[in-house]
């Protein structure tokens, strides 16, 4: 007795019977689920940043004073210029991704290759730029001192312009040794020593009567408060630690939470961009060898395009929160 085997229509998609939600395939639907869940994660991070900034609004760093560097223009103040360029590059990579998806719909392999290559290049430039920005943020530019109470003191001239520690700190010939585990008990260690000690900063400040101290607190004009010379000398006597650059413990630009959120949120976004670049490279090589030509569908390009657009959109919010607001 012969048996009869019934197979599904070969043209029928995974979710057949005209039951595809919004006409989306299973793969695109799962990508949308991931994007929604990841958007909620970023929303939580940005909301936490907003609450913290509102709570410490009087001591929050001013973005125009923090992000002032531009490659090959050392010493030239360019507030927000390079960040704006980074943002433009990432948004432009989203445009090239749209063109790649459109070329895939038209089954134009060479155009897909070109536009995906441009998208990958844009992503690499953005990540490299973000790493360069991190380097400058961590290294710092002017330096400051932290008091025993945790307040941050910066140095300015009589016109209110920032002055770097290297421009006035005295050389007292102190011999300072960093405490490491090989020189003490196994649980005892300390971070790298700053370039100058508190005593050297205090001596240098005393020798330059034109210098003043600026606190991290904003005044009514939304500017950092500058103390008189007498008050400056008094506050400097409370100095406890020299701060250079920013890390998860100290921040020469202002409130410590700013650096914590900056590293965490921009780092988390950078991880997403790196992931997107890797996926794009994989899809790019699949396009090169004709995988999607054989399938007669470039849906994989469209799915990775959804992820890339999401990453770009998230950066718009991060850019707005950290740099513009």
């Amino acid at each position: 007795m012969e048996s009869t085997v019934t197979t599904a229509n070969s043209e029928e998609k995974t979710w057949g019977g005209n039951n595809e939600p919004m006409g989306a395939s299973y793969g695109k639907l799962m990508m949308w689920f991931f994007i929604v869940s990841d958007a909620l994660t970023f929303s939580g991070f940005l909301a936490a940043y907003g609450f913290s900034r509102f709570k410490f609004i009087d001591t929050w760093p001013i973005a125009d004073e923090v992000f002032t560097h531009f490659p090959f223009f050392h010493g030239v103040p360019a507030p927000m210029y390079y960040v704006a360029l980074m943002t433009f590059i990432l948004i432009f990579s989203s445009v090239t991704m749209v063109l790649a998806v459109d070329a895939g719909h038209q089954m134009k392999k060479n155009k897909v290759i070109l536009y995906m290559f441009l998208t990958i290049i844009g992503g690499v430039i953005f990540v490299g730029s973000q790493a360069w920005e991190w380097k400058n943020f961590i290294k710092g530019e002017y330096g400051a001192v932290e008091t025993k109470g945790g307040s941050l003191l910066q140095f300015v001239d009589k016109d209110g312009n920032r002055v770097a520690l290297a421009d006035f700190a005295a050389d007292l010939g102190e011999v300072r040794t960093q405490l490491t585990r090989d020189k003490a008990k196994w649980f005892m260690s300390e971070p790298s020593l700053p370039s100058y000690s508190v005593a050297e900063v205090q001596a240098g400040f005393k020798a330059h009567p034109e210098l003043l101290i600026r606190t991290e607190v904003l005044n009514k004009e939304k500017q950092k408060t500058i103390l008189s010379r007498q008050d400056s000398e008094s506050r400097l006597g409370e100095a406890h630690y020299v701060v250079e650059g920013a890390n998860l413990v100290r921040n020469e630009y202002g409130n410590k939470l700013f650096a914590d959120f900056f590293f965490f949120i921009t780092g988390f976004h950078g991880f997403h961009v790196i992931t997107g670049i890797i996926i794009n490279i994989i899809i790019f090589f699949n396009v090169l060898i004709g995988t999607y030509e054989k399938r007669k569908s470039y849906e994989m390009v469209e799915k990775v395009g959804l992820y890339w657009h999401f990453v770009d959109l998230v950066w718009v919010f991060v850019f707005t929160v950290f740099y513009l607001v």
Side-chain angles (χ1 to χ4, degrees):
M1 183 176 178
E2 297 182 359
S3 60
T4 303
V5 179
T6 303
T7 60
N9 190 330
S10 59
E11 296 181 357
E12 191 175 28
K13 295 184 180 179
T14 305
W15 287 21
N18 297 320
N19 193 31
E20 292 186 344
M22 297 177 290
S25 66
Y26 179 80
K28 282 198 288 186
L29 192 64
M30 292 302 104
M31 178 59 75
W32 277 112
F33 283 163
F34 168 76
I35 288 174
V36 171
S37 63
D38 214 25
L40 293 175
T41 303
F42 273 104
S43 298
F45 294 157
L46 294 177
Y49 173 87
F51 281 120
S52 298
R53 176 171 180 169
F54 180 77
K55 182 176 181 180
F56 301 103
I57 189 66
D58 290 338
T59 60
W60 210 252
I62 300 174
D64 284 348
E65 296 183 354
V66 177
F67 308 104
T68 61
H69 302 87
F70 202 96
F72 310 112
F73 290 92
H74 181 71
V76 178
M80 310 297 292
Y81 290 1
Y82 194 60
V83 180
L85 178 61
M86 288 168 49
T87 303
F88 173 78
I89 292 173
L90 190 63
I91 292 176
F92 185 76
S93 73
S94 196
V95 174
T96 56
M97 178 57 79
V98 169
L99 295 174
V101 172
D102 182 66
H105 288 160
Q106 301 177 42
M107 301 298 293
K108 296 180 179 179
K109 176 182 175 181
N110 291 335
K111 285 191 174 183
V112 175
I113 292 173
L114 172 63
Y115 292 130
M116 286 211 68
F117 177 76
L118 293 176
T119 301
I120 293 169
I121 294 299
V124 170
I125 293 175
F126 176 83
V127 171
S129 299
Q130 199 170 49
W132 183 83
E133 187 183 48
W134 269 44
K135 176 188 73 69
N136 287 291
F137 187 70
I138 293 171
K139 181 181 178 182
E141 184 175 3
Y142 296 102
V145 295
E146 185 179 295
T147 66
K148 296 178 181 178
S151 299
L152 193 72
L153 305 178
Q154 301 169 338
F155 299 92
V156 297
D157 58 22
K158 291 183 178 180
D159 296 324
N161 301 315
R162 291 287 303 276
V163 177
L165 299 180
D167 294 336
F168 69 90
D171 183 6
L172 301 181
E174 295 180 343
V175 178
R176 296 181 296 151
T177 304
Q178 181 182 353
L179 181 63
T180 56
R181 292 183 179 180
D182 61 336
K183 299 176 183 178
K185 297 180 179 179
W186 66 270
F187 57 85
M188 297 176 65
S189 63
E190 64 179 348
S192 300
L193 294 175
S195 303
Y196 309 97
S197 67
V198 172
E200 289 174 329
V201 173
Q202 291 172 332
F205 184 82
K206 186 176 181 180
H208 291 77
E210 74 281 3
L211 296 181
L212 299 172
I213 280 182
R214 188 180 77 165
T215 69
E216 59 184 336
V217 180
L218 294 175
N219 55 28
K220 295 180 180 180
E221 288 74 30
K222 302 299 181 181
Q223 296 177 342
K224 300 294 184 179
T225 304
I226 299 178
L227 304 178
S228 64
R229 177 67 186 188
Q230 183 178 356
D231 291 338
S232 297
E233 292 176 349
S234 176
R235 289 298 302 275
L236 189 57
E238 304 172 5
H240 173 67
Y241 193 87
V242 175
V243 183
E244 293 177 305
N247 50 51
L248 296 177
V249 180
R250 292 182 171 86
N251 175 18
E252 77 164 49
Y253 307 101
N255 194 287
K256 303 172 186 177
L257 280 177
F258 177 84
D260 296 342
F261 278 112
F262 178 80
F263 287 127
F264 188 76
I265 294 179
T266 62
F268 191 58
H269 176 266
F271 170 76
H272 279 70
V273 176
I274 293 173
T275 302
I277 293 172
I278 295 173
I279 296 174
N280 276 335
I281 291 174
I282 295 173
I283 302 302
F284 174 75
F285 280 108
N286 281 338
V287 174
L288 280 178
I289 63 178
T291 300
Y292 307 122
E293 284 287 317
K294 296 175 184 177
R295 296 181 184 177
K296 299 188 182 303
S297 173
Y298 281 85
E299 185 177 306
M300 283 299 299
V301 176
E302 187 173 355
K303 285 188 284 189
V304 75
L306 289 174
Y307 176 81
W308 194 255
H309 296 324
F310 165 73
V311 169
D312 290 1
L313 181 61
V314 167
W315 177 253
V316 171
F317 286 98
V318 174
F319 173 75
T320 302
V321 168
F322 271 100
Y323 303 97
L324 297 184
V325 177

